[in-house]
Amino acid sequence: MPTPLSSVPARALVAALLVAAFCGQALAALQPHVPLLLASTVVSVAVEGVMYRWQRGMLSVFAKSHADITVRHVLRDLLLVVALLRLGEQARESVYTPLVGGLLAFYALHCAIQAVSVLVRRTRTLPVVTRNIDASALRLSTAPPALLRRPGDRLLVFGLPATAGLLATAATDDARCAALGIALSLGLALVGLFDLLVRLLPSRRPAGENETLQWLDAWLAEYRPTAGLYFSGGVSSAYQANMWLEPLAQLDGRPLIVLRERFMVAKIGPTDVPILCLPKVSTLMRLEESSLEVLIHPSNSGKTSQVLRIPTLKHTFVNHGESDKLSSCNPYAKAYDEVWVAGPAARERYALAEVGVEDKDVVEIGRPQLDAVRPQEETPAGGLTTVLYAPTWEGWDGNPGNTSVIEAGENLVRALLADPGVRLLYKPHPLTGSVDPRAGAADLRIRELIRAAVRERAGERPSDTAELDLRTKELDRLTTTAVRANADQLERMLLQSAPEPGRAQAVAAATAAWEEAYWASLPEGEHQVFIDARPTLYACFNVADLLISDVSSVVSDFLASGKPYAVANTSGLSEDVFRKAFPTVRAATVLAPDAAGVPDLLETVRHPEKDELVEARAELKRHLLGPDEPTSQERFNEAVRALGSAAREHRARMAERMAAEVATEIPDQRRSATPPQPAHPA
């Protein structure tokens, strides 16, 4: 939600007030005019505080105009000094000379603090970022106070006593006020500088780069990872890796998560699996000498090619979803040793796409994440029908058939809300609106439609939420670490060390208890909009009687439940062509953009005897997701073991070849060359 001060008019008002305040201060200093000086200075400082609290974007605007906080602060104090000189007699200039000297010393200290702060930040930026790993040997420590790391905030706070003192002297003609204020500012600056200098002492400084890399090699040798999840991506792409956390944690052996972006460490969901972030390619290459055998890739990225260069590893692409979209058959997939898919449908899809992926390299493992999806327990006849509308996002290619939000979303929602026997759950894709603004605008309108329907229905809310509050606190305690808002990565590494034994099992139990308490806490029949991580999509699957979505992995995942589902056709294709083009639609009810088929769809859900797609869904489930036995997690484990065995065999062959080359006597020209003979005197 934007703050009241985040609009364009508000930003313009803030800028105008600041400029007007400086103009007023300059005029008051030259006149001189004490009341105007007081008012304009107070307004100037207040506007600075507003910008740092609510309008931080304006700070960069002023900085680009070469009017950053340092320039503004110096100008503000300079005008106060000018005003004092104008107010006093010439003989009193000698009184103000020490004050000016003190101000200059304060600004010199400010520059010194900034320089030392940069040095401290560099010493605290390690070549490795960890989570769920005991890295205390790297001499981790808490971060310096935020004021010492942010020059703008620091100057505003540390310089405030000096500014206030000068202003008080202008009002009272008592130089002691300015002297006291400047002394306080100098004291604060000296304390801050001392705090930073102490952190540069050898005993207080974190480990250097070489020491850190030696620690990394030792940790890899001790932990001996076998299979890892490799992920690189943007801020909003972490969900692609998070969906593989639980299957990874249940693997036989010693799993590992390898990241490339420092910010991604905090984006990865709750897990006990050790996390290594290796931003530099040179650091990443140290995995070549480790016991790691397999890397699992849930997505492609520009940095994927860097890790593919490690010859000792085997790489597999698992994707972050199973859908009929062309993106599921990206030609980049041929760069991996194997491509793991859910079932026969994906194998056929790669064969038809002809993107260079050979059939022998495709392995069917099912979808391990879907083990938590439960089948229909009872028929919704007689009660409310819970409908989950989970559209996908607009995608990168501009295909109008990617998402139904733009052309059909509002029609679908209106048709569902018009039925008094429907409870609607709306869970849009996290990236909705990130490419096409029309999708974002439609998403907001859909949310408002649902909120309006909630206000009209106005069911009675349970008065006792103690159980949910208790479960939420317990789950938060297990899945979050209390970290200061201003903590840097080094401090987070210290706090997010090796987890306590059994935490993963406790999180699973707490999650199940939270989900039960959450659904029980909702008023019966109240529509819901879900945009947070909780409840998860699969938790919504388990309470829904019907899914309406687009051609996406959501559809194939929902098939694990065996429940009815519908797909919105906004592609412009006829229904027959649409079904032939996308196998996931084979057992679906196809809805036109006008949502005219919604009443008939709800009728088949409420009366299963009218559902003619039961067998089709069962068959399509086997085709998309593979057989029920063995379980997907077991097949996932077996695929990792097989690929790991291939990696070990490859290493053995390379070792034999290297040994053979060493054993072969290849003359060295430098050794075999006859050295020149020294000249003998005649």
Side-chain angles (χ1 to χ4, degrees), residues 10-297:
R11 291 196 293 268
L13 176 62
V14 168
L17 279 175
L18 188 61
V19 172
F22 273 111
C23 292
Q25 193 179 15
L27 181 63
L30 295 174
Q31 283 295 323
H33 192 281
V34 174
L36 179 59
L37 182 70
L38 292 173
S40 57
T41 304
V42 169
V43 170
S44 174
V45 174
V47 172
E48 293 280 5
V50 169
M51 285 198 300
Y52 273 88
R53 176 62 179 87
W54 291 293
Q55 286 286 338
R56 299 193 73 90
M58 289 296 297
L59 300 176
S60 61
V61 173
F62 280 107
K64 291 176 182 177
S65 304
H66 300 285
D68 61 10
I69 180 63
T70 302
V71 173
R72 298 195 303 272
H73 207 282
V74 170
L75 178 60
R76 188 182 297 116
D77 287 349
L78 176 63
L79 290 173
L80 288 174
V81 171
V82 170
L84 290 178
L85 293 175
R86 296 278 294 166
L87 286 168
E89 300 177 359
Q90 186 174 3
R92 298 187 60 187
E93 291 183 4
S94 58
V95 176
Y96 297 128
T97 300
L99 301 180
V100 175
L103 270 180
L104 294 176
F106 167 73
Y107 285 112
L109 284 175
H110 167 69
C111 294
I113 292 175
Q114 181 60 20
V116 177
S117 175
V118 171
L119 291 177
V120 171
R121 184 175 67 248
R122 289 179 178 177
T123 63
R124 296 181 64 83
T125 304
L126 303 183
V128 176
V129 183
T130 67
R131 191 175 128 193
N132 298 334
I133 298 174
D134 183 4
S136 56
L138 300 178
R139 298 190 297 279
L140 308 179
S141 60
T142 57
L147 281 178
L148 300 182
R149 289 148 48 199
R150 299 176 180 173
D153 299 54
R154 179 179 65 246
L155 185 56
L156 190 62
V157 174
F158 285 9
L160 185 60
T163 301
L166 291 171
L167 197 61
T169 296
T172 63
D173 197 29
D174 188 347
R176 290 177 297 179
C177 296
L180 178 60
I182 293 173
L184 286 175
S185 291
L186 284 170
L188 290 173
L190 286 171
V191 171
L193 181 61
F194 177 77
D195 181 278
L196 291 174
L197 288 173
V198 168
R199 294 173 184 273
L200 291 177
L201 295 175
S203 60
R204 297 285 301 276
R205 190 183 305 174
E209 182 171 358
N210 291 334
E211 186 179 352
T212 301
L213 294 178
Q214 292 174 2
W215 171 88
L216 172 63
D217 293 339
W219 182 85
L220 288 170
E222 179 184 0
Y223 181 66
R224 297 192 59 78
T226 53
L229 183 77
Y230 177 91
F231 189 72
S232 171
V235 176
S236 58
S237 64
Y239 73 95
Q240 300 172 352
N242 287 335
M243 66 171 56
W244 285 97
L245 295 181
E246 187 171 349
L248 182 73
Q250 296 182 31
L251 281 177
D252 298 333
R254 290 168 293 279
L256 175 68
I257 297 173
V258 179
L259 305 176
R260 300 303 308 281
E261 291 80 19
R262 296 177 182 270
F263 68 82
M264 191 61 72
V265 176
K267 297 292 183 180
I268 297 299
T271 181
D272 284 358
V273 177
I275 298 176
L276 279 179
C277 178
L278 310 175
K280 295 182 180 179
V281 178
S282 58
T283 310
L284 180 71
M285 291 299 133
R286 303 181 89 88
L287 295 177
E288 182 175 354
E289 303 301 325
S290 72
S291 60
L292 192 64
E293 300 166 349
V294 175
L295 275 183
I296 301 166
H297 300 256

Side-chain angles (χ1 to χ4, degrees), residues 478-563:
L478 291 170
T479 57
T480 59
T481 302
V483 179
R484 293 187 305 131
N486 296 316
D488 61 2
Q489 289 179 333
L490 207 68
E491 183 175 342
R492 290 177 182 273
M493 287 172 59
L494 174 65
L495 297 174
Q496 297 175 330
S497 186
E500 298 179 1
R503 187 180 70 171
Q505 293 80 1
V507 169
T511 301
W514 180 88
E515 290 179 354
E516 182 179 355
Y518 175 78
W519 295 115
S521 70
L522 299 179
E524 183 179 358
E526 184 178 82
H527 309 300
Q528 300 293 327
V529 175
F530 300 127
I531 56 176
D532 297 325
R534 299 176 194 159
T536 64
L537 180 63
Y538 297 151
C540 295
F541 283 179
N542 290 332
V543 299
D545 304 308
L546 167 68
L547 167 72
I548 299 179
S549 188
D550 306 317
V551 176
S552 68
S553 60
V554 174
V555 169
S556 55
D557 286 355
F558 189 76
L559 275 167
S561 70
K563 302 174 187 177

